[in-house]
């Protein structure tokens, strides 16, 4: 009888614990496992909430990412394209006989010494950067050494080509790419990418991508996170030579989405040429039929006058959508006297409230409104640990799916996996944050089960989601372009 009572008691206790698992899944797993093990009933069942935050977040994304009602059929992309030579930055600079001195940024690189100083400056911050190398002969020597270096890899490069390549992965999309396309790049492009004959040239433009790993050390410098430093002596892209070819190709191609990039490449040009080309960019965009949205992808810049011109000389009002990262966002605000412009640089993870304030300012000051005829209604902001999509109400749909898709592709592409591998990624986004630093705002607490957070501010809607950061990234180059392309692929623009 005592034995029977003991068994019955254990059974009732087991049933009770099972009910606790079902009714209180948020109870700490350690407490539940301890209670179960005290009954000596074998391995504890896995409660619903015991999956890792990364696993729960990835599953929630998959449920949220749905196709838009109206999908793009034909996408035209231009105008910067090149071959990326990807290599370990530290190993290449060591092979060139350079040693780490004092890190220092250079707006333009004139020598090997400038290259070494700029590389370690950004490596020590774990920040991405891109610079123009002014000396053609020196650059050619470095590029040749990099291209022949053991382990060097050649990839499609340039924002336009990378975005076009990402779009081309969708077989239902027809993709037009205009840019300076040499034989090596043409060979690397997806078969689904159509290149107009006028875009083909005899020689490739090479960009050198110096990568470093999280925790990698060189002399006194240690990278807090994986990233890359890019430099080139690229005159074709710098002069935006293919702009006219791009625009003239649109009439025959008949796209329903246009993506423009490469304005940052003009930093190596004279101020006069910069002003001239920007006016031609605006004129070219204005020739695109009404109703076809134009997305502008920004990239790393150091010339404040050029950035200010891009903002003020009608480029922003001529495009419907922007893509940019934290470096570009802060530099934009500094160049155009926006909010938080006194902030010299980000201190670690960019503050969500500050980012939100700047995005709000861009759309309020330069976006569409009842009193302004601007086309700008959407901004896709991406940083390592989170993304934000900000849109003027009434112009875009499916943005919840779009921001989730952009974040998901960041984790899969960095780790080179088809789906999110929860064991290879980490959730590093702030667990709670304020939605503004200039206004009272709201305090948001992150929930991996509901990873997309939405808030509103004076006719502008914000969608926020964390990123699952790859712990051992295979390749960091082109992540921003893949993010923007994926976000656009899932976006739906309402007809005007």
């Amino acid at each position: 009888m005592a034995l029977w009572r003991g068994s019955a008691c254990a059974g009732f206790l087991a049933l009770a614990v099972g009910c606790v698992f079902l009714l209180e899944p948020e109870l700490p797993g350690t407490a539940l496992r301890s209670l179960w093990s005290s009954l000596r009933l074998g391995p504890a069942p896995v409660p619903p909430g015991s999956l890792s935050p990364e696993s729960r977040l990835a599953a929630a994304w998959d449920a949220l990412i749905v196709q838009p009602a109206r999908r793009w059929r034909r996408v035209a992309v231009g105008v910067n394209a090149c071959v990326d030579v990807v290599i370990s930055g530290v190993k290449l600079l060591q092979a060139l006989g350079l040693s780490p001195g004092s890190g220092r940024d250079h707006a333009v690189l004139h020598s090997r010494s400038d290259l070494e100083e700029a590389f370690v400056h950004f490596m020590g911050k774990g920040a991405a950067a891109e610079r123009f190398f002014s000396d053609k002969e020196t650059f050619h020597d470095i590029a040749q050494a990099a291209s022949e270096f053991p382990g060097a890899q050649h990839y499609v490069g340039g924002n336009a080509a990378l975005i076009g390549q990402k779009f081309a992965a969708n077989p239902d999309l027809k993709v037009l790419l205009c840019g300076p396309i040499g034989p090596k790049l043409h060979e690397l492009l997806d078969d689904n990418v159509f290149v107009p004959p006028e875009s083909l040239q005899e020689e490739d433009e090479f960009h050198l991508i110096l990568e470093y790993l999280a925790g990698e050390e060189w002399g006194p410098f240690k990278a807090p996170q994986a990233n890359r430093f890019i430099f080139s002596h690229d005159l074709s892209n710098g002069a935006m030579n293919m702009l006219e070819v791009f625009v003239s190709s649109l009439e025959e191609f008949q796209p329903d989405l246009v993506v423009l990039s490469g304005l940052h490449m003009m930093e190596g040009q004279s101020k006069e040429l910069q002003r001239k080309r920007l006016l031609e960019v605006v004129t070219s965009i204005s020739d695109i039929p009404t109703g076809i949205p134009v997305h502008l992808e920004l990239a790393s810049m150091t010339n404040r006058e050029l950035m200010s011109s891009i903002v003020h000389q009608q480029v922003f009002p001529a495009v419907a959508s922007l893509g940019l990262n934290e470096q570009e966002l802060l530099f934009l605000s500094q160049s155009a006297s926006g909010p938080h412009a006194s902030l010299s640089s980000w201190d670690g993870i960019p503050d969500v409230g500050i980012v939100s304030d700047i995005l709000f300012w861009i759309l309020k000051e330069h976006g569409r409104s009842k009193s302004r005829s601007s086309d700008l209604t959407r901004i896709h902001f991406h940083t390592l640990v989170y993304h934000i999509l900000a849109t003027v109400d009434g112009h875009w749909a499916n943005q919840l799916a779009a921001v989730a898709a952009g974040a998901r592709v960041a984790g899969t592409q960095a780790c080179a996996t088809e789906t999110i591998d929860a064991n290879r990624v980490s959730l590093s986004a702030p667990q709670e944050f304020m939605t503004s630093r200039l206004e009272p705002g709201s305090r948001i607490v992150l929930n991996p089960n509901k990873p997309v957070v939405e808030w509103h501010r004076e006719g502008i809607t914000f969608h926020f989601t964390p990123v699952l950061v790859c712990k051992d990234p295979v390749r960091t180059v082109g992540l921003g372009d893949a993010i923007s392309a994926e976000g656009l692929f899932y976006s739906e623009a309402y007809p005007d």
Side-chain angles (χ1 to χ4, degrees):
M1 180 66 72
L3 180 63
W4 183 89
R5 282 199 301 268
S7 299
C9 182
F12 282 124
L13 280 170
L15 181 62
V17 173
C19 290
V20 170
F21 276 134
L22 292 174
L23 298 175
E24 293 292 341
E26 299 302 323
L27 196 64
T30 52
L32 293 171
R33 286 192 293 273
S34 175
L35 177 59
W36 187 270
S37 63
S38 70
L39 301 174
R40 295 184 173 85
L41 297 174
V46 178
S50 69
L51 290 174
S52 69
E54 289 80 6
S55 295
R56 287 184 283 144
L57 195 150
W61 275 343
D62 290 341
L64 292 173
I65 299 172
V66 296
Q67 297 282 352
R70 293 173 63 252
R71 297 165 64 179
W72 314 111
R73 296 168 297 105
R74 306 171 76 86
V75 180
V77 188
V79 291
N80 63 324
C82 64
V83 174
D84 279 345
V85 182
V86 182
I87 190 171
S88 161
V90 171
K91 290 180 180 177
L92 175 65
L93 296 185
Q94 286 176 332
L96 293 173
L98 298 169
S99 21
S102 56
R104 179 186 169 200
D105 189 14
H106 293 273
V108 176
L109 307 179
H110 300 289
S111 65
R112 296 185 182 208
S113 175
D114 286 356
L115 170 63
E116 171 270 315
E117 290 181 345
F119 174 78
V120 296
H121 170 80
F122 287 101
M123 176 184 171
K125 294 176 176 290
E130 185 166 351
R131 296 292 181 265
F132 180 78
F133 201 104
S134 64
D135 188 318
K136 179 181 178 180
E137 296 304 322
T138 302
F139 176 79
H140 180 269
D141 292 343
I142 297 173
Q144 187 170 1
S147 195
E148 297 171 355
F149 196 84
Q153 297 172 300
H154 296 77
Y155 294 101
V156 171
N159 308 90
L162 286 163
I163 290 172
Q165 191 85 328
K166 186 63 183 175
F167 274 125
N170 302 286
D172 295 335
L173 270 181
K174 295 188 183 300
V175 181
L176 170 80
L177 172 64
C178 284
I181 305 203
K184 182 64 176 178
L185 178 56
H186 203 201
E187 173 192 323
L188 292 170
L189 286 172
D190 191 291
D191 291 339
N192 198 29
V193 175
F194 171 69
V195 178
E198 298 84 356
S199 275
L200 299 175
Q201 59 183 40
E202 293 183 1
E203 294 185 358
D204 286 284
E205 294 287 358
F206 288 95
H207 288 209
L208 304 190
I209 318 295
L210 307 191
E211 293 195 320
Y212 49 85
L213 302 174
E216 185 170 0
E217 297 182 43
W218 194 32
F221 299 93
K222 182 176 181 179
Q225 62 195 31
N227 223 315
R228 74 283 186 278
F229 182 84
I230 306 174
F231 68 105
S232 67
H233 179 82
D234 185 340
L235 299 179
S236 296
N237 285 303
M240 297 188 75
N241 285 344
M242 292 298 165
L243 178 64
E244 286 74 20
V245 171
F246 183 46
V247 175
S248 64
S249 301
L250 299 181
E251 185 175 354
E252 181 180 352
F253 185 70
Q254 294 288 302
D256 44 22
L257 172 66
V258 172
V259 180
L260 176 67
S261 64
L263 299 186
H264 64 289
M265 296 298 300
M266 292 194 292
E267 285 197 314
Q269 306 297 318
S270 67
K271 290 182 181 180
E272 183 180 348
L273 181 58
Q274 289 174 1
R275 285 193 295 268
K276 178 173 178 286
R277 285 312 258 165
L278 281 180
L279 288 172
E280 290 166 348
V281 166
V282 173
T283 302
S284 298
I285 295 174
S286 65
D287 289 339
I288 297 172
T290 303
I292 300 176
V294 178
H295 172 87
L296 174 63
E297 189 71 12
L298 294 177
S300 177
M301 296 174 63
T302 60
N303 187 323
R304 291 196 179 192
E305 189 173 339
L306 176 58
M307 177 62 91
S308 179
S309 297
I310 291 171
V311 175
H312 295 297
Q313 286 190 8
Q314 300 305 307
V315 178
F316 271 24
V319 301
S321 173
L322 290 177
L324 75 177
N325 68 16
E326 75 277 12
Q327 303 297 331
E328 295 136 23
L329 183 76
L330 183 57
F331 186 67
L332 189 160
S333 190
Q334 293 168 341
S335 303
S337 302
H340 308 290
S342 60
L343 186 67
S344 60
S345 62
W346 299 109
D347 183 14
I349 296 172
D351 181 89
V352 177
I354 293 176
V355 168
S356 175
D357 288 336
I358 301 175
L359 295 175
F360 176 78
W361 165 77
I362 295 171
L363 289 175
K364 273 297 178 183
E365 289 295 317
H366 304 284
R368 184 178 298 187
S369 66
K370 292 180 180 178
S371 60
R372 191 183 304 109
S373 60
S374 169
D375 285 338
L376 182 59
T377 50
R378 176 184 184 272
I379 306 175
H380 190 166
F381 168 82
H382 47 86
T383 188
L384 183 68
V385 299
Y386 69 83
H387 296 172
I388 297 177
L389 257 173
T391 52
V392 178
D393 293 348
H395 299 282
W396 293 87
N398 214 44
Q399 296 304 279
L400 185 152
V403 73
R408 182 176 66 179
V409 81
T412 57
Q413 183 155 314
C415 283
T417 54
E418 289 294 322
T419 58
I420 293 289
D421 182 342
N423 295 317
R424 293 183 58 192
V425 295
S426 62
L427 177 59
S428 305
Q431 295 302 296
E432 59 179 75
F433 57 85
M434 295 299 297
T435 59
S436 174
R437 292 297 181 185
L438 296 178
E439 295 184 358
S442 303
R443 179 171 292 280
I444 303 293
V445 178
L446 196 61
N447 179 359
N449 297 320
K450 297 178 180 178
V452 179
V453 181
E454 181 178 330
W455 68 89
H456 304 270
R457 188 171 170 184
E458 296 181 30
I460 294 171
T461 297
F462 297 82
H463 288 93
F464 167 100
T465 195
V467 172
L468 293 176
V469 182
C470 187
K471 298 175 185 175
D472 54 339
V474 175
R475 185 167 179 247
T476 61
V477 177
L479 276 184
D481 302 306
I483 289 162
S484 288
E486 196 78 349
L488 284 168
F489 179 76
Y490 282 92
S491 291
E492 178 182 351
Y494 290 131
D496 287 333

